[in-house]
Amino acid sequence: MARIPAMPEPREVVAFLAGGLFGSGLLVSGMIDTTKVQGWLDFFGDWDPTLAFVLGGAVLPMFFVWRIAERRGVSVFGDLIPARTPPRLDGPLIWGSLLFGAGWGLAGLCPGPALASFALGGWGGALFFLAMVSGMVVTPAIRAWLFRPAVTD
Amino acid sequence: MIPTDWIWGLVGGLMIGSAAGLYLLVNGRIMGASGILGGLVDGTGRDSMVERLAFLFGVLAVPPLLVPLYRSVDTHITSNPLVIVAAGLLVGIGTRLANGCTSGHGVCGISRLAPRGLAATAFYLLGGAVTVYLFRHILGVI
């Protein structure tokens, strides 16, 4: 069970800073604007390429970070760098991603921006968040019902 | 479609990638929004509960502090509650089934050239593009 911290641990401070920078990046990039996200997915309409710049900007530093992290093997706090998962395509990955994409297109929100805009999105944002968490609650049952044990990333 | 939007997209993207880099290099964790939240929701992330909460608190609490820098911040989310609930459920179920979303499979997976991250990204882009085409151009719902 988790303790209630009197003083935050260093890794919790870093987690807060990373979360704050992530959320700020989502706001600055325009990714909390559902019309921009739906515009990116609207390949047969008025296509908006902004998201390609966001993804490119995010992948660039991470490309070098992965090389450093995998060479070091451990994090600054001594955790093992997550191992590569076997390159296996399975039902949960394919169907899960298709379903996620459908929801992403319908409302123009994915989990990160849904969190970052929680305080900015009015009742619609709050309702989306509630529905998303509900979906996460029922997923273990759906997975057990539809699929055999899957690869964990 | 204005080039300034692209520049801010790039700047924001670099911030997102730097956040993911910080989380990986210092805490040794993959920055995936659906995984960090989902592990709290279904209990699989109980061991790292406070760290997850600290990350989520940062995502939730810091962006509103930047809002005064803007003339207006609007998420333009649809006002159709049925669409919102359906979309939220699909995003919640889909990302947990697939073990990742745009940040984990997208940003962290693509930059590692991870086959599962690349495949997931291809499939959620396909799902999103087909959905927008269907519901915007055929049905006219969104």
Side-chain angles (χ1 to χ4, degrees):
Chain A
M1 231 7 244
R3 85 226 125 70
I4 304 298
M7 280 287 285
E9 300 260 343
R11 65 182 307 120
E12 290 153 15
V13 175
V14 174
F16 171 77
L17 292 174
L21 187 59
F22 175 50
S24 303
L26 290 168
L27 177 75
V28 167
S29 64
M31 285 303 98
I32 64 159
D33 186 343
T34 59
T35 52
K36 290 202 80 63
V37 174
Q38 288 179 322
W40 154 259
L41 292 171
D42 195 2
F43 292 99
F44 303 101
D46 189 12
W47 188 59
D48 181 341
T50 307
L51 202 142
F53 289 84
V54 182
L55 191 60
V59 164
L60 186 71
M62 274 305 282
F63 180 76
F64 296 102
V65 164
W66 270 122
R67 301 188 152 211
I68 299 166
E70 289 189 322
R71 195 167 52 229
R72 283 177 50 102
V74 288
S75 74
V76 170
F77 289 142
D79 317 80
L80 286 178
I81 295 301
R84 286 181 167 273
T85 43
R88 208 184 92 198
L89 271 183
D90 50 22
L93 185 85
I94 295 169
W95 287 108
S97 295
L98 285 171
L99 293 177
F100 160 46
W104 192 37
L106 266 185
L109 279 176
C110 53
L115 286 161
S117 69
F118 184 73
L120 317 166
W123 66 266
L127 183 62
F128 181 91
F129 182 81
L130 274 178
M132 180 174 77
V133 168
S134 307
M136 290 178 167
V137 170
V138 300
T139 303
I142 293 176
R143 189 192 286 123
W145 174 49
L146 288 178
F147 302 104
R148 272 178 260 175
V151 178
T152 46
D153 291 290
Chain B
M1 289 295 281
I2 320 152
T4 26
D5 283 9
W6 303 355
I7 294 166
W8 284 117
L10 189 66
V11 171
L14 287 167
M15 291 166 71
I16 295 166
S18 305
L22 178 70
Y23 206 45
L24 180 67
L25 283 177
V26 181
N27 285 27
R29 300 206 188 274
I30 289 172
M31 192 193 75
S34 62
I36 294 170
L37 175 64
L40 284 177
V41 170
D42 65 19
T44 51
R46 205 171 289 130
D47 297 342
S48 50
M49 192 171 106
V50 183
E51 186 183 14
R52 287 165 190 265
L53 285 172
F55 178 88
L56 295 175
F57 181 59
V59 183
L60 236 88
V62 176
L65 304 177
L66 302 182
V67 168
L69 300 175
Y70 292 83
R71 257 175 305 169
S72 70
V73 171
D74 193 343
T75 62
H76 297 113
I77 189 166
T78 172
S79 55
N80 183 337
L82 212 64
V83 170
I84 292 177
V85 169
L89 283 171
L90 285 167
V91 169
I93 295 168
T95 55
R96 290 306 282 155
L97 275 183
N99 271 320
C101 58
T102 7
S103 44
H105 276 319
V107 174
C108 297
I110 291 173
S111 58
R112 199 183 199 182
L113 302 174
R116 283 172 60 80
L118 295 166
T121 302
F123 282 109
Y124 64 67
L125 279 176
L126 176 68
V130 169
T131 302
V132 168
Y133 182 72
L134 190 66
F135 284 84
R136 175 168 287 175
H137 299 295
I138 308 287
L139 301 171
V141 181
I142 56 172

